Amino acid sequence: MPGWGEAGFWGLLAGSALLIGAVAGFAARVPRRITASVMAFGAGVLLSAVSFELLARAHEQAGLLPVALGTAVGALAYTGANVLLARRGARHRKRSGTEQPSEQELPGSGTAIAVGALLDGVPESVVIGASLLGGGKVSLVTVVAVFLSNVPEGLSSAAGMRQAGRTRRWILLLWATIALASGVAALAGYALLGGAPPAVLATITALAAGAILAMITDTMVPEAFENAHLLVGLITVLGFLVAFAFSHG
């Protein structure tokens, strides 16, 4: 399979977990405590992937300064965009309860939630595509981490959207679109960064890592803590250790 095709495939695979999670949420009414526990595990897995796959590799390529600057700028960019979207109704887009506003309560909130979901998924997919550059193999740890974190994200978000009165068709179409966008973003990460100097590639990877770290604490941790707070730390560490073992096995 050509490199661009492989990049698109892995990005689409990781993104499809969002749709799988949403479908699972409709097929079975999963208790919020279970959803939150899986969210905590996924957050731990993703934290490990960011630490030992993305930032460690970027540091090897270009040293500390580009990684530090890239991570900070990525977190700032994500946070700024997230603040704007939160004002338009997307603040609780990954919550499974009644926190999300309905379209009647806040017109345009559905669009903001859709854009927020896209914002959450693009950085992960870009680094999946970029990991194939230089003739290397895709970072399976990153793919697995994104997949495992996307399932509870889709499940929790779909539950919250349903509580806000959004239709099943709208919800499933949204996650199908985000899954496709994930494949396109991974393809773009491979195509646009091919031939880039190591310092540029490392900086872009760090930018994505910073955005992912901000996303974890802004959107995943609150849902996990509120509904599984007595165990959230332990479950998150378990996810972190599983991904760490997979990365170093």
Side-chain angles (χ1 to χ4, degrees), residues 102-198:
S102 67
E103 200 65 26
Q104 289 73 32
E105 293 171 331
L106 185 58
S109 58
T111 300
I113 288 170
V115 175
L118 184 63
L119 174 69
D120 296 338
V122 165
E124 302 167 343
S125 301
V126 168
V127 295
I128 288 174
S131 71
L132 284 162
L133 294 173
K137 294 181 179 180
V138 71
S139 172
L140 287 177
V141 174
T142 303
V143 173
V144 171
V146 172
F147 188 95
L148 289 178
S149 64
N150 277 347
V151 171
E153 285 182 43
L155 198 158
S156 182
S157 296
M161 292 171 190
R162 186 175 62 241
Q163 295 270 16
R166 294 184 167 85
T167 66
R168 178 177 301 189
R169 179 179 179 182
W170 187 91
I171 295 169
L172 295 181
L173 181 60
L174 168 64
W175 291 124
T177 301
I178 300 302
L180 289 173
S182 297
V184 172
L187 191 155
Y190 179 85
L192 298 178
L193 296 176

Side-chain angles (χ1 to χ4, degrees), residues 19-248:
L19 183 58
I20 292 171
V23 171
F26 282 113
R29 298 291 178 133
V30 181
R32 292 188 70 182
R33 185 175 294 273
I34 299 298
T35 302
S37 298
V38 179
M39 184 79 82
F41 184 86
V45 170
L46 207 51
L47 283 169
S48 181
V50 169
S51 301
F52 299 109
E53 289 292 309
L54 304 185
L55 292 180
R57 185 168 64 245
H59 182 264
E60 290 175 0
Q61 291 175 320
L64 179 60
L65 185 59
V67 171
L69 288 175
T71 303
V73 171
L76 284 170
Y78 176 90
T79 301
N82 198 41
V83 167
L84 293 175
L85 290 169
R87 292 173 179 172
R88 288 162 173 78
R91 178 179 180 84
H92 300 298
R93 59 186 176 272
K94 288 191 177 137
R95 306 302 296 273
S96 59
T98 58
E99 296 87 354
Q100 291 188 30
S102 67
E103 200 65 26
Q104 289 73 32
E105 293 171 331
L106 185 58
S109 58
T111 300
I113 288 170
V115 175
L118 184 63
L119 174 69
D120 296 338
V122 165
E124 302 167 343
S125 301
V126 168
V127 295
I128 288 174
S131 71
L132 284 162
L133 294 173
K137 294 181 179 180
V138 71
S139 172
L140 287 177
V141 174
T142 303
V143 173
V144 171
V146 172
F147 188 95
L148 289 178
S149 64
N150 277 347
V151 171
E153 285 182 43
L155 198 158
S156 182
S157 296
M161 292 171 190
R162 186 175 62 241
Q163 295 270 16
R166 294 184 167 85
T167 66
R168 178 177 301 189
R169 179 179 179 182
W170 187 91
I171 295 169
L172 295 181
L173 181 60
L174 168 64
W175 291 124
T177 301
I178 300 302
L180 289 173
S182 297
V184 172
L187 191 155
Y190 179 85
L192 298 178
L193 296 176
V200 172
L201 186 57
T203 302
I204 297 298
T205 300
L207 277 165
I212 293 169
L213 285 171
M215 181 272 291
I216 293 170
T217 53
D218 282 351
T219 64
M220 296 181 71
V221 171
E223 171 69 12
F225 178 78
E226 181 170 324
N227 294 288
H229 56 90
L230 293 178
L231 297 174
V232 65
L234 180 62
I235 297 170
T236 302
V237 170
L238 178 62
F240 186 93
L241 289 175
V242 168
F244 178 80
F246 189 82
S247 177
H248 294 76

